[in-house]
Amino acid sequence: MEAQVESAIEIAGNPASDQTLKAQAFDFLDRLRSEPTGWRACLTLFTRLPRASEVVRHVSLEVINTAIQSKILDLQSLIYVRDELRLYAAQIYGRTDGDGEVDSGFIQNKLTQTFTYLFVSLYASGWESFFDDFLALTSCGGTSARDNLAGVVLYLRIVGSIHDEIADVLLTRSPEVQNRNNELKDLIRERDVQKNTVCWQEILSYWRGRNDVVSELCLKAIARWVGWIDISLVANEAMLTPLFELVGRTQQSDTRSADARIQITAIDTLTEIVSKKMKPADKVQMIYYLNLQDVVRQLIGAPMLQDAKSTSGYDTDLAEAVAKLVNSTAYDIVRTLDDDTIDDQSRSQANELLKAFVPFVLRFFSDDYDEVCSSVITSLTDLLAYFRKEVKEKTALQPDHATMISPILGAILAKMKYDETMSWGEEDEQTDEAEFQELRRRLHVMQQTMAGISETMYLDVMTDVVNNTFLRVRRISSGIAVDWRDVEMALHEIFLFGEVAVKKGGLYSKNQPNSPAAERLVGMLTNMIDSGIASFSHPAVQLQYMEICVRYYTYFEVHPHFIPQVLESFVRFVHHDHVRVKTRSWYLFHRFIKQLRGYLGNVAETVLGAIGDLLVIKAEVPKERSDDNDMSSEDNDQPSDATFNSQLYLFEAVGCVSSTSSVPVDKQVQYAQSVFVPLFAEMERNLQPAKNGEERSILQIHHIIVALGTLAQGYSEWTPGRSSAANAPAAEVSEQFQRCSEAILVALESLRSSFNIRTAARSALSRFIGVLGARILPQLPQWTDGLLAQSSSNDEIGMFLRLLDQVIFGFKTEIYGFLDSLLSPLLQRVFAGLGQPTSGTDDEIQLTELRREYLSFLLVILNNDLGSVLVSSANQNTFDLIISTIEHFAKNGNDLQTAKFALGVLTKMSLAYGGPDIVKLPGAEPLPPSSPTANGAAVASNNTSLPGFSRFMIERFTPVSWTFPATLTFNPKDAQARQVLGEAATLQRTIFAKTGEDFVRYLREVWFPSLRLSEDRVVEFLQALESRDPRGFKTFFLEFIQRIAGSS
């Protein structure tokens, strides 16, 4: 058996093996793992002398581990494995006649895992001498020193592995496993923890200075275990003396890396000791006992941190380790101060420690390296939170705490600045840039806390920093040098300052600053503009300047005389050489103009002349990127689609600036034409190649259509149906965009098979509604034909229906005639989409969305008093199909949201076509009368009775209300199912209100007999129908259905 297993492992692990043989070998090994006795051969293979190959021994241990973990082995088998491996360990790791016989690190790791699994299975009962057996391996015969290197290393590996298995708090475990682990830790504390800690002391004492690898393993074991054993076993002179010696080890130039590693491990161990959970008062005493103040001071003064600071020799790993020690200590000091139950002496001692450690925290917080700085942010954040709590409770900080605030804010501001080693906007700096911005977000939270502690101090410091920077910028012309990092930081602080200044309802109230902070911000903005900072050459400064102008646009509403100056700067920036500044400035330029369009004046001609060259559209077909393409050129910094999407902001900005109230109508027309004409010519030039399938021409026309729609959006903020008609664009402007719409329809008719063209046209149509008004209605059939091609997906059909909802709402008094002629062809296309088979999750999602958009479309028609269009002579043949689809959706138990929606549509139809209420029900509200359309057609409302519809409601809608609860998927406890039943209850109440006794008679004579309901239940239902208000009847119906379902 052993030979067969060994051969299978060798074949499976040999890359040159025949694939068929390898597959058979893997299959054999898989079966071996699940066989009750497969582990025996593997145990023999592992312990055999001469040794098998490394891969055979490793896989053998893996099979044994699997057997132990899966509990294939009974107690007798576990004892057998224990004895064999214990004997093996004594033979290999207990000998002192050479190092050559011990296993490789690869095998030792796996063997350690095996011993750990045996520990978990047998330590409670079966291997009580576990630690004694391995402790015996740490000493050579005849001595008490822990001088057997192989045995010590194996013991320390096992100790570390046991912690990871039973005490690592980062791992999520089941309650059963966690309870088992807790019991094992209790047993260790009871039986062996003291002898283990004594052994660690002896190992450190013996191997310190002899072998740093052993010392490091021992320190890591202490760091792991200290969190769940008695602190006195570790925090004692015998343990701390060698630990502090390693913490303070002086690094020698020839052994620097080894010394640094053991020193860092020692500091990490000290950090874990400090982090040990205990009562706050006890923690203060331990910090004093460890003399951490002097320890940290000596570490900070070490040559690798003090003398080498700001040089290439600076030891960032050591700095980060000490920073974590400081962070943990400061965190516990703050936690102690925040504890209301501590005694006065402990609080006084904690305050003394705080005064000592805050400078240490700020030392590492101000470190040039972000990873070092980030290590103390937790404790500093907690300290500021404590200070804010103190201010709220006592109205002011105590004096010794108040002196700490200013240095902390200064350190935060210093970290807000770009590091001198960082560049801005370079491709190879993107990771560093992202990390720095994340750090800035954390620093911003701290700044906000500072403002909550002392807003006056915060305002004073920020105002001084920002205004002093602007003063230096003013003096650049006099030869004063200003670092772009200082300027960018000042602007960044202005950008953030608004969260303090504007938090009370805006920057201004009645044209006056809304608060002292708002007043400071207004002053800083004025100084910013007056300083001429917009001419500063660095792109980061220019970008931040634009962001500020857009964010605080209300400032310019009160100071409109600054707008031309700022607008001139924006026009310059939109032509920037740096692609990041240029494309971002297009968006910011658009936002600035759109927000201040009422204050711009007649500057359209100037703006158009300045940015006209940027309105040229050049579509680029996306290139397939190869894996080895380094994409290093600047042209590749931004994908072509992203660049075009940014360019669209310029078109909307042109529309905004060209349509302000100060621009005469004839000029608005002229400016629109200046953009249209070249785009029309470009569209015409590309139309024939696009018909021939030329990809770039299709994309070019797509871009032009989208750009024209975006221009229209800029020209008009008017929303039909929601805005006053006085805000509608002038007729002359609408005429120009009607020409534009006609041009797009020509392209759409020619290229309707292109998904991209249909998408662009649909986007343009949604934007033309506001600028064309009712002029769009005669074109609707053409738009429908073009946008609903045979190749249109359900997703496209659904989006078009959503767009028609917008049109109907906006023009409900004018659209009746157009909708009447359009409806049947449109619904036929919708029905075709609803009937398409699905072939995957995406299709299912699109079909579900189309169902809901279809129902929403019908509901919009009914809600806008256009219900008569569904039953007009042109659409009568479609009406029954409409009803059938709604009924089908209402009965679908697999899509509860759609079922609820469908029942709501049936209720709305009942209200629209069922005539006036003939039964006055409790809680019923009168509906508004019908409203006429522009052509005088009667519109269905609650007062309009459709002949025969009363009987139709009773016979067709009643079964729908009861069919859904009868489906196999119905679950009355499901929240969505309960909502569906609520809609069904509303539908029945509506039918009863419209038909009265006819409905009661149908229920008694036809429907309830088909359900085999008893007379008592029939009477109960009818009484509830007549007497309950809407909410009460919904509750009754749900309970009624549950009772019926329970008795069936």
Side-chain angles (χ1 to χ4, degrees):
M1 180 67 173
E2 289 86 353
Q4 188 178 5
V5 173
E6 183 173 15
S7 175
I9 296 173
E10 293 284 8
I11 292 171
N14 186 355
S17 298
D18 178 77
Q19 293 302 313
T20 303
L21 280 177
K22 182 174 283 193
Q24 293 174 356
F26 277 120
D27 182 62
F28 173 79
L29 293 175
D30 286 340
R31 285 186 278 109
L32 182 70
R33 287 185 175 89
S34 59
E35 286 184 6
T37 59
W39 57 271
R40 288 185 176 273
C42 294
L43 182 61
T44 303
L45 279 175
F46 177 75
T47 58
R48 186 187 73 188
L49 292 175
R51 294 174 177 175
S53 67
E54 289 278 286
V55 66
V56 169
R57 302 182 77 223
H58 188 274
V59 173
S60 296
L61 281 176
E62 190 177 306
V63 172
I64 296 170
N65 291 347
T66 302
I68 298 172
Q69 276 193 298
S70 58
K71 300 183 179 180
I72 292 176
L73 279 66
D74 57 18
L75 180 59
Q76 184 178 358
S77 299
L78 285 170
I79 296 296
Y80 176 74
V81 174
R82 178 203 68 183
D83 291 342
E84 290 295 308
L85 290 181
R86 182 168 56 181
L87 178 62
Y88 172 82
Q91 291 175 339
I92 302 302
Y93 294 92
R95 299 178 61 177
T96 60
D97 53 357
D99 296 336
E101 294 183 3
V102 298
D103 297 313
S104 65
F106 180 62
I107 295 297
Q108 284 190 49
N109 287 336
K110 185 58 69 173
L111 180 60
T112 297
Q113 191 178 49
T114 308
F115 279 128
T116 301
Y117 292 152
L118 286 170
F119 167 85
V120 170
S121 301
L122 294 174
Y123 182 66
S125 177
W127 199 354
E128 293 84 347
S129 63
F130 181 90
F131 287 108
D132 291 327
D133 292 342
F134 287 102
L135 285 170
L137 300 180
T138 61
S139 299
C140 297
T143 68
S144 60
R146 306 297 180 179
D147 53 357
N148 180 19
L149 178 62
V152 167
V153 170
L154 179 64
Y155 162 75
L156 291 174
R157 283 178 181 270
I158 291 172
V159 166
S161 179
I162 287 173
H163 164 83
D164 294 342
E165 181 66 23
I166 69 171
D168 191 341
V169 296
L170 298 179
L171 298 179
T172 302
R173 300 177 175 89
S174 67
E176 181 183 359
V177 172
Q178 189 59 53
N179 289 335
R180 179 207 67 187
N181 292 346
N182 291 338
E183 292 172 0
L184 287 172
K185 286 189 288 184
D186 288 341
L187 281 175
I188 292 173
R189 296 185 190 104
E190 179 184 337
R191 295 176 183 171
D192 295 309
V193 68
Q194 189 161 3
K195 64 181 71 172
N196 276 305
T197 55
V198 170
C199 179
W200 301 338
Q201 297 169 13
E202 295 169 349
I203 290 173
L204 274 183
S205 297
Y206 183 85
W207 291 102
R208 185 177 78 256
R210 286 189 173 96
N211 189 316
D212 282 347
V213 172
V214 174
S215 298
E216 191 173 353
L217 279 173
C218 187
L219 289 171
K220 288 179 178 179
I222 296 170
R224 284 185 170 103
W225 281 52
V226 71
W228 53 278
I229 64 175
D230 190 335
I231 189 64
S232 65
L233 297 173
V234 175
N236 56 65
E237 187 174 352
M239 187 75 79
L240 293 177
T241 298
L243 174 61
F244 281 132
E245 184 178 323
L246 292 172
V247 166
R249 176 180 286 191
T250 303
Q251 298 175 21
Q252 305 295 327
S253 59
D254 56 339
T255 59
R256 176 176 176 273
S257 60
D259 281 342
R261 188 169 59 249
I262 188 65
Q263 183 184 29
I264 289 169
T265 304
I267 294 170
D268 290 342
T269 303
L270 185 57
T271 301
E272 292 298 325
I273 293 173
V274 174
S275 302
K276 168 77 173 176
K277 291 183 179 180
M278 59 181 68
K279 294 179 179 179
D282 293 339
K283 180 59 68 73
V284 168
Q285 296 307 313
M286 190 179 74
I287 294 173
Y288 272 107
Y289 174 73
L290 295 175
N291 197 19
L292 288 180
Q293 180 179 342
D294 289 341
V295 171
V296 171
R297 184 182 294 111
Q298 291 173 18
L299 287 170
I300 291 175
M304 298 306 297
L305 295 185
Q306 182 66 36
D307 299 342
K309 194 174 182 181
S310 302
T311 70
S312 59
Y314 187 66
D315 193 335
T316 55
D317 293 333
L318 177 60
E320 188 174 356
V322 181
K324 289 177 180 177
L325 174 60
V326 169
N327 182 71
S328 181
T329 307
Y331 169 82
D332 282 323
I333 294 170
V334 173
R335 190 169 66 91
T336 300
L337 289 170
D338 198 27
D339 189 339
D340 296 331
T341 64
I342 63 169
D343 58 88
D344 293 340
Q345 181 181 357
S346 296
R347 182 174 297 279
S348 176
Q349 291 175 327
N351 267 315
E352 290 300 316
L353 288 172
L354 183 66
K355 285 189 284 187
F357 271 85
V358 164
F360 298 154
V361 172
L362 295 182
R363 154 64 180 87
F364 291 107
F365 179 75
S366 304
D367 198 278
D368 292 340
Y369 292 89
D370 290 345
E371 59 268 30
V372 178
C373 167
S374 298
S375 297
V376 295
I377 284 182
T378 301
S379 61
L380 191 54
T381 302
D382 287 345
L383 175 61
L384 294 177
Y386 168 69
F387 283 166
R388 183 166 60 180
K389 177 182 175 183
E390 184 179 331
V391 169
K392 287 182 178 179
E393 292 178 352
K394 303 177 180 179
T395 69
L397 291 176
Q398 62 186 61
D400 53 346
H401 292 172
T403 60
M404 301 175 187
I405 295 299
S406 183
I408 293 175
L409 182 56
I412 294 173
L413 287 172
K415 289 304 296 182
M416 275 286 190
K417 189 166 64 172
Y418 274 89
D419 187 82
E420 291 183 2
T421 61
M422 282 185 65
S423 300
W424 183 91
E426 295 183 7
E427 187 174 352
D428 57 355
E429 296 278 356
Q430 289 180 0
T431 301
D432 290 343
E433 171 80 12
E435 291 175 352
F436 176 64
Q437 294 304 328
E438 176 58 31
L439 175 62
R440 269 189 165 179
R441 280 187 281 273
R442 299 176 72 183
L443 295 173
H444 173 50
V445 173
M446 297 171 71
Q447 281 192 183
Q448 288 181 301
T449 307
M450 293 291 295
I453 296 170
S454 176
E455 183 169 310
T456 301
M457 183 273 297
Y458 175 80
L459 297 181
D460 290 342
V461 171
M462 290 299 174
T463 304
D464 289 345
V465 168
V466 170
N467 288 337
N468 287 339
T469 303
F470 293 155
L471 183 61
R472 290 162 57 205
V473 171
R474 283 172 178 266
R475 296 174 179 173
I476 290 178
S477 59
S478 303
I480 300 295
V482 182
D483 192 328
W484 70 267
R485 297 172 180 83
D486 294 329
V487 182
E488 192 278 340
M489 189 270 285
L491 292 178
H492 183 66
E493 290 298 340
I494 291 182
F495 187 83
L496 299 178
F497 197 85
E499 297 191 21
V500 176
V502 188
K503 64 182 179 181
K504 295 182 180 178
L507 189 58
Y508 289 97
S509 176
K510 298 180 180 179
N511 289 340
Q512 294 297 319
N514 200 31
S515 64
E519 186 175 359
R520 299 288 187 99
L521 178 57
V522 168
M524 287 189 283
L525 291 172
T526 301
N527 288 338
M528 177 188 75
I529 298 172
D530 285 340
S531 71
I533 205 170
S535 301
F536 199 89
S537 59
H538 197 277
V541 172
Q542 296 165 344
L543 192 56
Q544 194 69 267
Y545 172 81
M546 289 186 286
E547 298 278 4
I548 290 170
C549 292
V550 170
R551 182 170 198 181
Y552 302 119
Y553 72 92
T554 53
Y555 168 84
F556 296 98
E557 294 177 348
V558 179
H559 301 84
H561 57 283
F562 282 128
I563 292 177
Q565 178 182 343
V566 173
L567 195 58
E568 182 180 347
S569 301
F570 270 86
V571 169
R572 186 171 74 253
F573 295 146
V574 297
H575 292 86
H576 205 284
D577 294 334
H578 197 291
V579 65
R580 178 174 166 186
V581 177
K582 180 169 66 176
T583 53
R584 179 63 178 171
S585 70
W586 293 349
Y587 166 75
L588 295 172
F589 176 67
H590 149 261
R591 293 297 302 164
F592 187 75
I593 284 180
K594 187 170 185 177
Q595 290 169 156
L596 295 170
R597 66 187 302 169
Y599 300 84
L600 293 176
N602 190 0
V603 296
E605 190 165 351
T606 304
V607 171
L608 276 170
I611 71 169
D613 58 312
L614 298 175
L615 301 179
V616 177
I617 293 176
K618 295 180 180 179
E620 296 180 16
V621 178
K623 297 177 181 178
E624 293 186 6
R625 184 179 299 186
S626 60
D627 293 337
D628 57 351
N629 186 356
D630 63 5
M631 302 296 289
S632 59
S633 71
E634 186 178 78
D635 290 341
N636 291 322
D637 285 350
Q638 290 259 340
S640 56
D641 279 353
T643 301
F644 171 68
N645 290 337
S646 296
Q647 189 182 18
L648 290 174
Y649 291 120
L650 294 178
F651 282 94
E652 185 171 353
V654 167
C656 289
V657 79
S658 301
S659 57
T660 62
S661 58
S662 57
V663 178
V665 173
D666 60 328
K667 287 293 185 180
Q668 292 187 33
V669 172
Q670 178 185 333
Y671 299 148
Q673 289 176 337
S674 69
V675 180
F676 288 164
V677 171
L679 293 180
F680 288 165
E682 184 68 14
M683 186 188 295
E684 186 177 1
R685 186 162 48 250
N686 283 274
L687 191 56
Q688 189 57 49
K691 289 180 181 179
N692 297 333
E694 205 276 312
E695 191 174 357
R696 186 199 167 278
S697 294
I698 293 174
L699 192 59
Q700 182 77 354
I701 293 177
H702 165 275
H703 284 9
I704 291 171
I705 293 173
V706 174
L708 291 171
T710 307
L711 179 71
Q713 180 172 285
Y715 253 88
S716 177
E717 291 185 324
W718 180 60
T719 303
R722 287 192 174 93
S723 305
S724 168
N727 297 324
E732 295 88 340
V733 174
S734 295
E735 288 176 7
Q736 291 302 313
F737 279 95
Q738 189 169 16
R739 285 182 53 216
C740 184
S741 176
E742 291 166 355
I744 293 174
L745 284 171
V746 170
L748 178 60
E749 184 178 358
S750 301
L751 303 171
R752 61 184 303 192
S753 61
S754 168
F755 171 78
N756 283 339
I757 298 299
R758 294 197 304 270
T759 301
R762 186 172 58 250
S763 170
L765 173 59
S766 68
R767 289 162 171 78
F768 282 155
I769 293 172
V771 75
L772 289 182
R775 295 172 187 266
I776 197 74
L777 298 179
Q779 296 179 344
L780 283 181
Q782 292 173 270
W783 284 105
T784 304
D785 289 342
L787 293 174
L788 298 185
Q790 290 300 317
S791 57
S792 295
S793 66
N794 282 344
D795 192 39
E796 290 182 81
I797 299 172
M799 286 189 285
F800 183 71
L801 289 176
R802 197 179 309 147
L803 185 57
L804 280 183
D805 293 347
Q806 179 185 351
V807 175
I808 291 170
F809 177 79
F811 305 105
K812 58 185 176 183
T813 59
E814 297 105 332
I815 200 174
Y816 183 89
F818 301 104
L819 187 61
D820 190 39
S821 61
L822 177 70
L823 187 65
S824 286
L826 171 65
L827 291 183
Q828 291 300 325
R829 186 68 189 88
V830 173
F831 295 149
L834 291 171
Q836 287 180 1
T838 57
S839 58
T841 303
D842 289 345
D843 287 351
E844 288 285 354
I845 292 173
Q846 286 192 18
L847 182 59
T848 300
E849 288 299 319
L850 179 57
R851 290 170 184 155
R852 294 173 188 170
E853 291 298 340
Y854 162 65
L855 293 172
S856 176
F857 175 67
L858 295 176
L859 204 55
V860 167
I861 291 175
L862 294 167
N863 284 338
N864 285 280
D865 291 336
L866 293 168
S868 60
V869 77
L870 297 176
V871 292
S872 69
S873 57
N875 300 306
Q876 280 181 349
N877 295 333
T878 310
F879 185 70
D880 192 60
L881 189 53
I882 293 173
I883 297 295
S884 297
T885 56
I886 300 173
E887 289 176 332
H888 175 71
F889 297 153
K891 298 174 184 177
N892 186 358
N894 295 319
D895 185 358
L896 298 180
Q897 187 174 348
T898 302
K900 175 177 175 288
F901 208 165
L903 286 167
V905 175
L906 292 179
T907 300
K908 193 65 182 180
M909 283 185 166
S910 301
L911 291 170
Y913 305 129
D917 292 352
I918 62 174
V919 176
K920 178 64 176 178
L921 295 176
E925 297 181 2
L927 294 174
S930 59
S931 59
T933 58
N935 60 4
V939 178
S941 73
N942 60 308
N943 293 324
T944 303
S945 178
L946 192 65
F949 195 77
S950 295
R951 197 66 197 169
F952 185 87
M953 278 192 297
I954 293 173
E955 296 180 354
R956 291 286 294 270
F957 294 176
T958 301
V960 175
S961 303
W962 296 81
T963 301
F964 167 71
T967 60
L968 295 176
T969 57
F970 172 68
N971 177 11
K973 296 182 180 180
D974 181 80
Q976 284 192 325
R978 296 167 73 92
Q979 291 178 350
V980 174
L981 287 181
E983 286 294 338
T986 301
L987 176 58
Q988 291 178 85
R989 261 184 119 253
T990 304
I991 297 173
F992 178 54
K994 299 295 181 184
T995 61
E997 284 301 317
D998 289 344
F999 182 53
V1000 172
R1001 191 178 305 110
Y1002 176 82
L1003 291 175
R1004 276 189 170 279
E1005 298 177 1
V1006 178
W1007 185 246
F1008 285 155
S1010 71
L1011 299 179
R1012 298 181 180 178
L1013 290 184
S1014 67
E1015 180 62 22
D1016 290 343
R1017 285 186 170 172
V1018 170
V1019 171
E1020 179 187 12
F1021 180 86
L1022 294 177
Q1023 286 178 344
L1025 183 65
E1026 295 176 3
S1027 61
R1028 303 252 183 145
D1029 63 12
R1031 185 173 181 178
F1033 184 68
K1034 285 182 181 181
T1035 303
F1036 164 79
F1037 187 60
L1038 175 62
E1039 296 171 350
F1040 190 74
I1041 290 296
Q1042 288 176 317
R1043 278 186 278 135
I1044 293 177
S1047 62
S1048 61

